[in-house]
Amino acid sequence: MERNYISSVRLSSPVDEGSYLHNLPVVRHLAQMEALTFSKAVTFLVGENGTGKSTLLEAIAVAYGFNAEGGTRNFSFSTSATHSDLYRRLTLSRRAYPKDGFFLRTESFYNAASYIDQVYEDEFRNQLGTSYGERSLHAQSHGESFLALVENRFGGNGIYLLDEPESALSPNRLMTLLVHIHELARNNSQFIIATHSPILMAYPGAEVYQLTEKDIRSVDFRETEHYQLTRRFLENPEKMLHYLLEG
């Protein structure tokens, strides 16, 4: 796409030193940067647990107007206010306005699916067509419902924020998701995805931001620890298992 709906994010006010956010690597690094830019149709946020990639994605989503537990900007439910206040300290640069959008987070997908069931209860009962398909998301497996939402609800010309989608999907289904991402990206859509999956990171032309204790930097997906560890394990699982289990 020629221009992204979110072109950059910056920390516009300092985080209180008493907050747990102050110690998150991603927050420390943002405080030292002019801005984190999004110049590609697909951007991946990659890092070890605790670096803050999901916290940053959540804050971007809430700052953009999405429900903290996931969904569209029109979702108004709330089961537990557990999101951080980092969104209050972010400034997003926007260059265009999308026709569609969705914040899809695995952690609270059950809550979003329950809200969708309530809104479309009659349609699902009578197997009528909705923007989420004909079947309740709860009537499908976790992975099936995840893909059903992407296939039926993501319409293009949109901004889509995905938090660790690989946790719901098999390797085969991850490849199916890649196909949908590609089709939507070609249809003027932008994705920002927090992930641990080397399969997703391999999407051609994507920006991969690696978050570490040291910095945030753009890398080739083959440079990530996720790819390198997975490759070493698959190439010689016996050696890796011996090292891990017998030391």
Side-chain angles (χ1 to χ4, degrees):
M1 60 189 300
E2 294 182 359
R3 54 181 182 175
N4 282 350
Y5 303 110
I6 299 176
S7 59
S8 70
V9 58
R10 65 181 177 88
L11 196 65
S12 53
S13 62
V15 172
D16 181 65
E17 291 187 8
S19 168
Y20 81 95
L21 293 170
H22 183 74
N23 295 317
L24 278 182
V26 68
V27 175
R28 296 201 315 268
H29 302 327
L30 280 176
Q32 299 169 1
M33 301 170 62
E34 182 176 341
L36 185 66
T37 60
F38 303 107
S39 60
K40 304 293 182 66
V42 180
T43 301
F44 294 108
L45 304 177
V46 179
E48 189 52 81
N49 296 334
T51 53
K53 62 186 182 301
S54 290
T55 300
L56 176 59
L57 186 70
E58 174 194 82
I60 291 172
V62 177
Y64 201 79
F66 289 108
N67 187 295
E69 295 183 56
T72 72
R73 297 178 70 181
N74 295 323
F75 276 37
S76 58
F77 76 94
S78 176
T79 58
S80 180
T82 58
H83 59 287
S84 75
D85 68 349
L86 180 60
Y87 73 97
R88 300 180 188 276
R89 305 176 187 281
L90 296 183
T91 296
L92 307 182
S93 293
R94 315 179 193 199
R95 293 183 177 175
Y97 291 92
K99 294 181 179 179
D100 190 30
F102 207 95
F103 176 33
L104 183 55
R105 60 182 308 177
T106 306
E107 180 181 329
S108 54
F109 181 69
Y110 181 92
N111 301 337
S114 297
Y115 178 78
I116 292 167
D117 265 15
Q118 291 176 12
V119 173
Y120 293 98
E121 181 179 3
D122 291 338
E123 288 85 349
F124 287 145
R125 183 187 302 113
N126 296 297
Q127 294 187 322
L128 301 176
T130 75
S131 56
Y132 296 92
E134 296 181 357
R135 298 171 61 202
S136 162
L137 297 179
H138 283 316
Q140 306 172 60
S141 73
H142 192 29
E144 288 175 329
S145 61
F146 221 75
L147 275 181
L149 191 149
V150 173
E151 292 170 350
N152 292 290
R153 178 58 186 78
F154 290 17
N157 293 290
I159 173 75
Y160 304 108
L161 310 179
L162 313 183
D163 186 25
E164 300 185 8
E166 68 274 8
S167 63
L169 302 173
S170 69
N172 185 49
R173 296 305 188 192
L174 277 175
M175 294 180 192
T176 301
L177 177 60
L178 275 176
V179 173
H180 290 302
I181 289 173
H182 185 58
E183 291 173 347
L184 288 160
R186 294 175 65 182
N187 189 18
N188 203 38
S189 295
Q190 179 185 8
F191 285 84
I192 303 176
I193 305 171
T195 187
H196 293 287
S197 171
I199 292 176
L200 291 180
M201 294 177 214
Y203 181 76
E207 184 93 74
V208 179
Y209 281 122
Q210 181 167 259
L211 285 60
T212 67
E213 288 284 343
K214 182 180 178 181
D215 59 16
I216 301 174
R217 62 190 180 96
S218 179
V219 300
D220 183 275
F221 81 98
R222 297 174 184 85
E223 297 178 48
T224 65
E225 187 177 35
H226 304 69
Y227 173 84
Q228 293 175 5
L229 278 176
T230 301
R231 180 178 178 179
R232 287 203 295 269
F233 186 92
L234 293 177
E235 287 179 344
N236 197 337
E238 294 81 9
K239 180 179 179 180
M240 289 291 286
L241 289 170
H242 177 80
Y243 173 78
L244 289 170
L245 305 180
E246 300 182 25

